[in-house]
Amino acid sequence: VYRCCGLFEIEINKRLHALERNGVQIGYYPVGAEVHVSLTARNLEGGVDDPRFRAADAVIREALGDNLYGVDQETLASATGRLLRERGLMLGVAESCTGGMIGGVITEATGSSRWFKGGVIVYSNALKEGLLGVDADLLARCGAVSGETARAMASGAAQRLGCDIAVSATGIAGPGGGTAEKPVGTVYIGLSHHNTVVDRLCRFNGSRRQIQEKTAQTAVDMVRRALLAS
C-alpha cells in the first residue's frame, strides 16, 4: 500500500491506469486528504522480488513522486517526524479551527516527543493576540480567517514556543459561519521555517469533522514538503 497526500484520486488513476494492463491490480482508497494506493500481483514466482512486481513498484513511486510519503503502515506524522529527527529540528503548532487535531495527529506517532515541542489552541482573537502576539490591527483589517493571520500565527508559534518550524491553521469548519467570500471549508494554513513565513489557502468539502481532519493532514503534509525542499 502506497500512502499519498496532495493528489486527487482521479489524477492518480490517470497516472497509473496503464499499469492495470500488465497483469497487476491497482486499488484506490481516499482517506481524508490522502489517497492510499494498493498494488496486487498474483502468481509471481519471485514474490515481491519478481521483476514484474519490482517494475510496477518503480512505476508507482515515480508517478507519485513527492506526493508519496510512505508505504504500508507508515503514517504521515511518522514520515514527517523522521525528516524532522534526521535534521535535528523541533516542530510547534498553532491551531484555531482544528481545535487541537493537528497536535493529536502528530502525537499519535511513536517517539514524537523527540521532534514535537507542543502547541497552542487559540480559538479566540484575544488568545491569538495574547499567546502568539498576533497584532490586533491585523485581525481587524484582515480577519481571523486570512492568510495574514495564518502567517502571524505560525511566526508567533515559532517564536513563543521556541521551535525551528511551526505550522498554523485558521478557517471555517462549519456547519455555520461561512460567507460568500469565505464559505464553509475555507482554511488558511501558515508555515514558518528558515526565517520564511508562507500561507496556503485551502477549500475543503465535507462535514465539520471531515474539514478538520483534512486540515490537520494537509498541515502536517505542508511541514513534510517544506523539509523535503530544504
Side-chain angles (χ1 to χ4, degrees):
V1 176
Y2 303 83
R3 294 173 173 248
C4 176
C5 195
L7 289 176
F8 289 113
E9 179 184 359
I10 190 170
E11 174 61 24
I12 296 174
N13 180 272
K14 186 192 307 180
R15 296 186 185 192
L16 301 181
H17 182 68
L19 269 180
E20 299 182 37
R21 304 193 202 105
N22 296 330
V24 298
Q25 294 178 322
I26 306 293
Y28 307 92
Y29 309 95
V31 183
E34 301 181 22
V35 178
H36 298 171
V37 180
S38 66
L39 169 62
T40 305
R42 305 183 187 281
N43 302 318
L44 299 179
E45 292 183 4
V48 294
D49 292 323
D50 189 278
R52 191 152 52 100
F53 190 91
R54 291 170 68 90
D57 173 78
V59 169
I60 292 173
R61 290 177 183 272
E62 182 177 359
L64 297 181
D66 287 345
N67 301 291
L68 174 66
Y69 70 78
V71 297
D72 294 333
Q73 300 305 312
E74 186 168 25
T75 67
L76 183 57
S78 63
T80 303
R82 173 171 43 79
L83 294 174
L84 287 163
R85 194 169 63 250
E86 289 171 355
R87 291 159 174 75
L89 302 177
M90 295 296 290
L91 170 66
V93 301
E95 307 186 51
S96 182
C97 62
T98 44
M101 194 174 289
I102 300 174
V105 167
I106 288 169
T107 54
E108 285 179 358
T110 302
S112 54
S113 61
R114 288 180 287 176
W115 46 269
F116 180 57
K117 201 156 193 178
V120 292
I121 302 172
V122 284
Y123 224 61
S124 70
N125 284 353
L127 284 187
K128 289 180 178 69
E129 296 172 31
L131 294 182
L132 297 177
V134 178
D135 189 76
D137 290 339
L138 183 150
L139 287 165
R141 185 175 68 256
C142 302
V145 180
S146 64
E148 292 85 351
T149 295
R151 293 197 301 273
M153 288 171 61
S155 179
Q159 295 171 12
R160 299 286 177 95
L161 300 177
C163 51
D164 305 292
I165 182 168
V167 67
S168 67
T170 179
I172 304 167
T179 65
E181 182 183 357
K182 298 176 182 178
V184 170
T186 300
V187 176
Y188 289 90
I189 300 174
L191 184 78
S192 174
H193 180 43
H194 281 340
N195 298 316
T196 299
V197 188
V198 298
D199 69 86
R200 174 181 172 185
L201 169 60
C202 301
R203 304 281 192 185
F204 296 124
N205 296 314
S207 67
R208 178 179 178 84
R209 178 76 180 187
Q210 288 171 326
I211 290 170
Q212 290 174 320
E213 289 175 345
K214 290 175 182 178
T215 300
Q217 288 173 306
T218 304
V220 176
D221 190 53
M222 197 165 166
V223 174
R224 181 186 70 88
R225 289 175 184 273
L227 294 168
L228 289 175
S230 62

